[in-house]
Short mmCIF file of all heavy atoms in Angstrom, two decimals:
data_model
loop_
_atom_site.label_atom_id
_atom_site.label_comp_id
_atom_site.label_asym_id
_atom_site.label_seq_id
_atom_site.Cartn_x
_atom_site.Cartn_y
_atom_site.Cartn_z
N PRO A 225 -40.92 184.70 166.19
CA PRO A 225 -39.63 184.38 165.62
C PRO A 225 -38.55 184.26 166.68
O PRO A 225 -38.58 184.91 167.69
CB PRO A 225 -39.34 185.58 164.66
CG PRO A 225 -40.20 186.69 165.18
CD PRO A 225 -41.40 186.04 165.78
N TRP A 226 -37.65 183.34 166.44
CA TRP A 226 -36.57 183.09 167.41
C TRP A 226 -35.59 184.25 167.52
O TRP A 226 -34.89 184.34 168.51
CB TRP A 226 -35.85 181.76 167.08
CG TRP A 226 -36.71 180.56 166.93
CD1 TRP A 226 -36.76 179.69 165.93
CD2 TRP A 226 -37.68 180.09 167.90
NE1 TRP A 226 -37.69 178.72 166.14
CE2 TRP A 226 -38.26 178.92 167.35
CE3 TRP A 226 -38.16 180.54 169.13
CZ2 TRP A 226 -39.26 178.21 168.01
CZ3 TRP A 226 -39.14 179.79 169.77
CH2 TRP A 226 -39.68 178.66 169.23
N LEU A 227 -35.44 185.05 166.47
CA LEU A 227 -34.56 186.17 166.49
C LEU A 227 -35.33 187.46 166.27
O LEU A 227 -36.35 187.48 165.57
CB LEU A 227 -33.50 186.05 165.36
CG LEU A 227 -32.52 184.89 165.47
CD1 LEU A 227 -31.60 184.84 164.24
CD2 LEU A 227 -31.67 185.01 166.71
N THR A 228 -34.87 188.51 166.94
CA THR A 228 -35.53 189.82 166.75
C THR A 228 -35.26 190.38 165.38
O THR A 228 -34.36 189.89 164.69
CB THR A 228 -35.02 190.80 167.82
OG1 THR A 228 -33.60 191.03 167.59
CG2 THR A 228 -35.20 190.24 169.25
N PRO A 229 -35.99 191.38 164.93
CA PRO A 229 -35.69 191.94 163.58
C PRO A 229 -34.28 192.47 163.46
O PRO A 229 -33.65 192.28 162.38
CB PRO A 229 -36.74 193.13 163.48
CG PRO A 229 -37.87 192.67 164.37
CD PRO A 229 -37.23 191.92 165.47
N GLY A 230 -33.71 193.06 164.49
CA GLY A 230 -32.33 193.51 164.43
C GLY A 230 -31.37 192.35 164.33
O GLY A 230 -30.40 192.45 163.53
N GLU A 231 -31.61 191.28 165.07
CA GLU A 231 -30.75 190.11 164.98
C GLU A 231 -30.84 189.47 163.60
O GLU A 231 -29.85 188.96 163.06
CB GLU A 231 -31.11 189.14 166.07
CG GLU A 231 -30.75 189.61 167.46
CD GLU A 231 -31.29 188.74 168.58
OE1 GLU A 231 -32.31 188.05 168.28
OE2 GLU A 231 -30.80 188.81 169.71
N LYS A 232 -32.06 189.42 163.03
CA LYS A 232 -32.23 188.85 161.67
C LYS A 232 -31.43 189.61 160.65
O LYS A 232 -30.76 189.06 159.75
CB LYS A 232 -33.68 188.81 161.32
CG LYS A 232 -34.49 187.70 161.97
CD LYS A 232 -35.90 187.73 161.43
CE LYS A 232 -36.75 186.57 162.01
NZ LYS A 232 -38.10 186.57 161.51
N GLU A 233 -31.52 190.94 160.73
CA GLU A 233 -30.80 191.83 159.78
C GLU A 233 -29.25 191.62 159.99
O GLU A 233 -28.50 191.56 159.00
CB GLU A 233 -31.19 193.26 160.03
CG GLU A 233 -30.43 194.25 159.13
CD GLU A 233 -30.70 194.05 157.64
OE1 GLU A 233 -31.67 193.38 157.30
OE2 GLU A 233 -29.90 194.54 156.83
N HIS A 234 -28.82 191.49 161.26
CA HIS A 234 -27.41 191.28 161.51
C HIS A 234 -26.97 189.91 160.89
O HIS A 234 -25.90 189.83 160.27
CB HIS A 234 -27.18 191.32 163.01
CG HIS A 234 -25.70 191.26 163.36
ND1 HIS A 234 -25.23 190.86 164.58
CD2 HIS A 234 -24.60 191.53 162.63
CE1 HIS A 234 -23.91 190.94 164.61
NE2 HIS A 234 -23.50 191.37 163.43
N LEU A 235 -27.78 188.89 161.04
CA LEU A 235 -27.44 187.60 160.53
C LEU A 235 -27.43 187.65 159.00
O LEU A 235 -26.54 187.05 158.36
CB LEU A 235 -28.50 186.59 160.98
CG LEU A 235 -28.31 185.13 160.47
CD1 LEU A 235 -27.00 184.58 160.85
CD2 LEU A 235 -29.47 184.26 160.96
N ARG A 236 -28.38 188.36 158.39
CA ARG A 236 -28.42 188.45 156.89
C ARG A 236 -27.11 189.14 156.39
O ARG A 236 -26.54 188.68 155.41
CB ARG A 236 -29.63 189.26 156.48
CG ARG A 236 -29.84 189.32 154.95
CD ARG A 236 -30.94 190.25 154.60
NE ARG A 236 -30.60 191.68 154.89
CZ ARG A 236 -29.91 192.41 154.04
NH1 ARG A 236 -29.50 191.92 152.87
NH2 ARG A 236 -29.62 193.69 154.36
N ARG A 237 -26.69 190.17 157.01
CA ARG A 237 -25.47 190.88 156.59
C ARG A 237 -24.25 190.01 156.80
O ARG A 237 -23.30 190.05 155.98
CB ARG A 237 -25.33 192.20 157.35
CG ARG A 237 -26.40 193.22 157.01
CD ARG A 237 -26.12 194.56 157.69
NE ARG A 237 -27.13 195.56 157.32
CZ ARG A 237 -27.13 196.84 157.72
NH1 ARG A 237 -26.13 197.25 158.49
NH2 ARG A 237 -28.06 197.66 157.33
N LEU A 238 -24.18 189.29 157.88
CA LEU A 238 -23.05 188.41 158.13
C LEU A 238 -22.99 187.30 157.06
O LEU A 238 -21.92 186.95 156.60
CB LEU A 238 -23.14 187.79 159.52
CG LEU A 238 -22.88 188.72 160.70
CD1 LEU A 238 -23.16 188.04 162.00
CD2 LEU A 238 -21.44 189.20 160.68
N GLU A 239 -24.14 186.77 156.71
CA GLU A 239 -24.13 185.70 155.70
C GLU A 239 -23.72 186.26 154.33
O GLU A 239 -23.07 185.58 153.57
CB GLU A 239 -25.55 185.10 155.64
CG GLU A 239 -25.86 184.23 156.85
CD GLU A 239 -27.31 183.70 156.87
OE1 GLU A 239 -28.12 184.30 156.10
OE2 GLU A 239 -27.58 182.73 157.50
N LYS A 240 -24.18 187.48 153.99
CA LYS A 240 -23.70 188.08 152.75
C LYS A 240 -22.20 188.31 152.78
O LYS A 240 -21.51 188.07 151.77
CB LYS A 240 -24.43 189.38 152.50
CG LYS A 240 -25.90 189.26 152.15
CD LYS A 240 -26.58 190.60 151.84
CE LYS A 240 -25.94 191.23 150.62
NZ LYS A 240 -26.60 192.50 150.26
N THR A 241 -21.70 188.74 153.92
CA THR A 241 -20.27 188.97 154.05
C THR A 241 -19.46 187.68 153.92
O THR A 241 -18.46 187.61 153.19
CB THR A 241 -19.94 189.65 155.38
OG1 THR A 241 -20.61 190.89 155.50
CG2 THR A 241 -18.44 189.90 155.54
N SER A 242 -19.95 186.63 154.56
CA SER A 242 -19.23 185.36 154.44
C SER A 242 -19.26 184.76 153.04
O SER A 242 -18.27 184.25 152.56
CB SER A 242 -19.87 184.35 155.44
OG SER A 242 -21.19 184.02 155.05
N ALA A 243 -20.43 184.97 152.38
CA ALA A 243 -20.51 184.46 150.98
C ALA A 243 -19.60 185.25 150.04
O ALA A 243 -18.93 184.67 149.16
CB ALA A 243 -21.96 184.60 150.49
N ARG A 244 -19.48 186.59 150.26
CA ARG A 244 -18.60 187.38 149.42
C ARG A 244 -17.11 186.99 149.67
O ARG A 244 -16.34 186.84 148.69
CB ARG A 244 -18.81 188.86 149.74
CG ARG A 244 -17.99 189.78 148.86
CD ARG A 244 -18.35 191.22 149.13
NE ARG A 244 -18.01 191.64 150.48
CZ ARG A 244 -18.92 191.90 151.46
NH1 ARG A 244 -20.21 191.76 151.18
NH2 ARG A 244 -18.54 192.28 152.62
N ARG A 245 -16.71 186.79 150.92
CA ARG A 245 -15.35 186.43 151.18
C ARG A 245 -15.03 185.00 150.76
O ARG A 245 -13.91 184.71 150.30
CB ARG A 245 -15.09 186.56 152.69
CG ARG A 245 -15.05 188.02 153.16
CD ARG A 245 -14.93 188.17 154.63
NE ARG A 245 -14.80 189.60 155.03
CZ ARG A 245 -14.97 189.99 156.27
NH1 ARG A 245 -15.13 189.12 157.28
NH2 ARG A 245 -14.80 191.29 156.52
N ARG A 246 -16.01 184.11 150.83
CA ARG A 246 -15.74 182.77 150.41
C ARG A 246 -15.60 182.72 148.87
O ARG A 246 -14.77 181.90 148.33
CB ARG A 246 -16.94 181.88 150.81
CG ARG A 246 -16.77 180.41 150.52
CD ARG A 246 -17.78 179.55 151.23
NE ARG A 246 -19.11 179.96 150.95
CZ ARG A 246 -19.94 180.57 151.80
NH1 ARG A 246 -19.50 180.84 153.00
NH2 ARG A 246 -21.18 180.89 151.52
#
Side-chain angles (χ1 to χ4, degrees):
W226 305 128
L227 295 176
T228 64
E231 291 169 339
K232 284 184 177 180
E233 177 63 18
H234 188 201
L235 178 60
R236 185 187 70 83
R237 293 185 179 184
L238 289 172
E239 289 176 339
K240 289 184 64 176
T241 301
S242 66
R244 183 174 64 251
R245 290 173 176 168
R246 185 167 55 251

